[in-house]
Every structure is written in C-alpha cells, then in structure tokens.
Amino acid sequence: MSESRSVSASRESVRKRESRPCGWVVVMGMFVVILCTRAVTRSMSTFFLELSHHFGEGSASIAWIISINDCITMLCAPFGALLSRRIGTRLTVMLGGLLSSCGLVLGSFCTNMTCLYMGPGFLTGFGNALSFTPTLALIGLFFEERRAFAIGLAITGCGVGTFVLPPISQFLIETFGWRGAMIILGGIVTHICVTAALFPPPPSPEPMQMLSGDKNDCSSHQDGCDVEKSEARLTGASPYQQLLRVEFLSFSFVTALVGYGAITPLVYIVPYSQFKGFSDQKASFLLSVIGIMDIVGTVTSGWLIDRKCLRAHQTHCYASTIFSYALVTLLLPTLNTYSQLMTCMAIYGYFNGAISVLIPLMVSTLIDSKLAPTALSIVNSSLGIPYLVGPPISGWLVDLTSGYTLPFVLSGLIKLLGMVILEATFLWTNCLKSRKNKQESCLPVAMLVTS
C-alpha cells in the first residue's frame, strides 16, 4: 500500500513538473537550436550550383561540405554531452552557437574548397554538436509522461527551418551572392546563444527516477527491453552494461544505416529537380515541402506513440516507419512531373519527422534515464560516418552515371536492410527471453515434484 502511494506521489510530482513553464522553455529552446543547426545544414544544398560554378568542382567535392558538417555534428555529440556535465548545458550550447556562426561567416571569405571544408564544414559542425545533443537531453529531464510529445514539438524546428530557410537562402544568393548569403545565415545561427541564455537549471532527478523505476519494473511487455532494465537493478549489475546489450548495439547500427539512406535525398533533391529541368525556385521549394510535412510527422507521431496501444510496440513502429521511408526513396527515380515529386517529398518529409522522434524515444526505452544523454550521444555519433561518406559516394555515383537513379536506389535498399536487421534482432532476443522465462517458471514445479 505504501509503495503504491509513493508511486502515485511520484506521478503527481511529475505532472506538476511538466505543467511548469521551465520545461516548455527548454522545448522552445530546442526548437530554435535545431532550426539553427540541422535546418541550416539542410539549406546548404541551395548553394550547390553556385559553389560548383564558382570553384569549378563536381557534385562529390561540393557534397563534402555538408558531409563534414553532419559527420562532426554526430561524431562529437559525446563530447558535447561530456562538456555539458562539466560546465553546464547553458554555457555549452552558447559556445556551440558561437562556433557555428563563426564557421559560416568564415566560409563567406573562402577562396578554395579546403577553407569551406574547415569553416561551414568542420567548425560549424563542431558547434552544432555542442548545441544539439545537450539541449535534446535536457528535455528528457523535464518530461516523463509527455516526453514523446515534447520531443516531437521541439523537433518541429527542423521542419519549420527546412520549410522557411531554402527559399530564403535562394533569395539571399540571388540578391547578395553566396558569400553574402552565408554571412546572413551565420547571423541567424547566433540566436542559439540568446536561446541558451534562457535555459533553466536541470530539475532534481529523484521523482523522475522513482517513476521511471516503477514503469520499467511493471512494463515488462514493452518489446522485452524493460525486463532487462529491471533485472539489472535487482542483480546490481553496472548500468553501463546496458550500452553493450545486443538490442542497443543493433539499434545504433540500424540507425546508422537509416542515416546513410536518409541523407542522400535531402542533399540531392534540389540538384535532382534541377537536373529534371525545373527552375531553381521550384527545386528549393521541394525542401520546403519536406520541411512542412516534417512538422506534421514529428507532432503526430509523437502524439501517436504516447498512446497506450502503441507505447509498448515502439520497435515495430520504428521498423514500419523505416520500411515506408525506404519505399518512398525507391520511388524517386521513377517520378517525372513536378507534382509527383512534390507528393513524394511530402510523404518523405512526414516519415523523416517520425524517424527523428522515434530515435530518442527508442533510446529512452532501451536505456535507463541516467544514461539516456550518454546513450543518445552514442547513437548520434553512429550517424557520423554515414553522414560523412553518404553524400560524396552519391555524388560520385551521379558523376559516374550522369544521373540520380543509382544513388536513390542504393539509399532505399540500405534502409530496407536496416529494417530487416532491427526486426530480426529484437525477434531473436525476445525468443531467448521467452525461453528463459519458461525455464524459470518450470523450475519450482520440478523442485516440488522431486521433493
């Protein structure tokens, strides 16, 4: 009775915490951070033709700018999490915003590709790493019951930015040239510093941990993941052993495959539509279509996953989203009209938003809340290599085949491979757990018979 009362008190404490404005300030802060990091990086694809004409380079060489940016953003995510523990989330995110802005401004003065790789590529990517992961982890400390909705609402910043920034970037390039446009984007990114200054201190974790413990011990049906988490508490095993479990390692590997498959359409949809003969404005607007449907995907998927009927099946939701994501990518080379491309990119944007919500939710399902920031940084760092090699490989295939069919087909097939690996791994581990539970349930009966 006293245990149920403590659980009820913990739940009531969480509800009161989530109703306070501090958590929603962090959500809006993440909205701005992701708009100024991930969305700005996506809008860099509007610079492809200008940079290619100015420096006389091919698609593969230009793609290295976005690849290095994305790679450093993900690979340095653990460093961002570590630094936030040392000096606090507020200072870490402010430092990241300053570095991201400086990288873009430096890029406007570049006279060769190496300088662009170091400025908008490396320096901006490193600043993004310091801003993105610590802010996303901070949301998890303020929200428990409505975590999916809070994360989905925050990640809509990527969709809003992708909807707004490509046409703005195209307009700035036509008005001020690519150098002036890059300086203005650098100024926009400085809003990260202002936003970070408003972040509240993290809340005390005790109520969250009590509720998390209750939910993990009672929800053993949730894809078989919470069973091991409760067993780890009972046996006294090190919590860091969770990071070496098959489910988490498989999830990280699958996320890396999905990252490779996702980055190619985002980087090459603008040049692909230009290759099809559509105007620069129509081409850049396709990114806006992705952006607005990204918003719909993040909000609706976050709300849906919070439903009780789906909360226990996050793995299957993730796998089915990857499957749909892959099919849309495979359809891209078969489309010829602008309306077909727009429809396809709308569907692609929806699943892109859903994926961005499901990844942190899967991490919170597989790993205890104390290790969630570390686990999330590991998953993000697993995206580094795919983001680094994906666009250049696709650009090389474009130059080799003088078309975009092979890069898009390869991206779709890699996503399908990830979906198969994910379902096979969790099916195998669940079978092992069921067999173990049957053996344990039969043991007392056998002992009774022998006695």
Side-chain angles (χ1 to χ4, degrees), residues 18 44 76 157 179 195-196 217 225 227 251 262 283 330 391 400 402 408 431 436 443:
E18 293 184 356
M44 290 294 292
C76 294
R179 297 184 186 274
T195 300
D217 292 333
C225 300
V227 174
F251 168 72
L330 292 173
L400 181 66
S402 300
F408 289 147
C431 288
K436 181 181 178 181
L443 184 60

Side-chain angles (χ1 to χ4, degrees), residues 216-217 220 224-238 245 433 436-437 440:
N216 290 334
D217 292 333
S220 59
C225 300
D226 292 340
V227 174
E228 290 194 4
K229 289 158 73 174
S230 60
E231 288 176 352
R233 290 190 187 89
L234 295 174
T235 59
S238 171
R245 285 170 40 219
K433 291 169 189 173
K436 181 181 178 181
N437 291 335
E440 290 178 351

Side-chain angles (χ1 to χ4, degrees), residues 41-261:
T41 301
R42 287 185 184 181
S43 69
M44 290 294 292
S45 61
T46 57
F47 288 78
F48 260 51
L49 282 182
E50 290 294 325
L51 294 177
S52 179
H53 293 156
H54 185 85
F55 292 101
E57 299 287 347
S59 300
S61 298
I62 305 298
W64 276 108
I65 301 172
I66 298 178
S67 296
I68 293 173
N69 183 303
D70 282 328
C71 175
I72 297 301
T73 298
M74 298 307 171
L75 283 182
C76 294
F79 181 77
L82 176 64
L83 189 62
S84 66
R85 291 183 180 179
R86 295 295 180 87
I87 66 174
T89 301
R90 184 182 299 172
L91 290 178
T92 302
V93 176
M94 290 178 71
L95 176 61
L98 182 63
L99 293 177
S100 298
S101 176
C102 289
L104 289 170
V105 174
L106 176 64
S108 66
F109 296 97
C110 289
T111 57
N112 54 67
M113 293 302 301
T114 303
C115 182
L116 286 172
Y117 296 154
M118 295 304 297
F122 182 86
L123 188 58
T124 299
F126 184 69
N128 292 348
L130 299 186
S131 303
F132 180 74
T133 303
T135 310
L136 186 59
L138 189 61
I139 293 179
L141 299 179
F142 280 93
F143 292 91
E144 179 67 28
E145 293 186 346
R146 291 185 286 179
R147 181 180 295 169
F149 178 73
I151 292 176
L153 187 62
I155 295 179
T156 57
C158 187
V160 172
T162 307
F163 175 70
V164 173
L165 286 179
I168 292 178
S169 299
Q170 188 64 46
F171 171 77
L172 293 175
I173 291 171
E174 295 173 357
T175 306
F176 304 103
W178 69 267
R179 297 184 186 274
M182 206 166 282
I183 291 177
I184 295 173
L185 286 180
I188 293 174
V189 170
T190 57
H191 286 80
I192 293 177
C193 302
V194 179
T195 300
L198 301 175
F199 282 171
S204 176
E206 285 80 5
M208 292 290 187
Q209 292 171 4
M210 291 177 63
L211 179 57
S212 178
D214 164 68
K215 186 166 66 175
N216 290 334
D217 292 333
C218 298
S219 302
S220 59
H221 63 283
Q222 192 171 27
D223 289 323
C225 300
D226 292 340
V227 174
E228 290 194 4
K229 289 158 73 174
S230 60
E231 288 176 352
R233 290 190 187 89
L234 295 174
T235 59
S238 171
Y240 285 95
Q241 292 178 1
Q242 298 174 50
L243 301 177
L244 299 177
R245 285 170 40 219
V246 176
E247 294 97 327
F248 180 72
L249 294 177
S250 172
F251 168 72
S252 300
F253 178 68
V254 169
T255 302
L257 293 179
V258 174
Y260 180 95

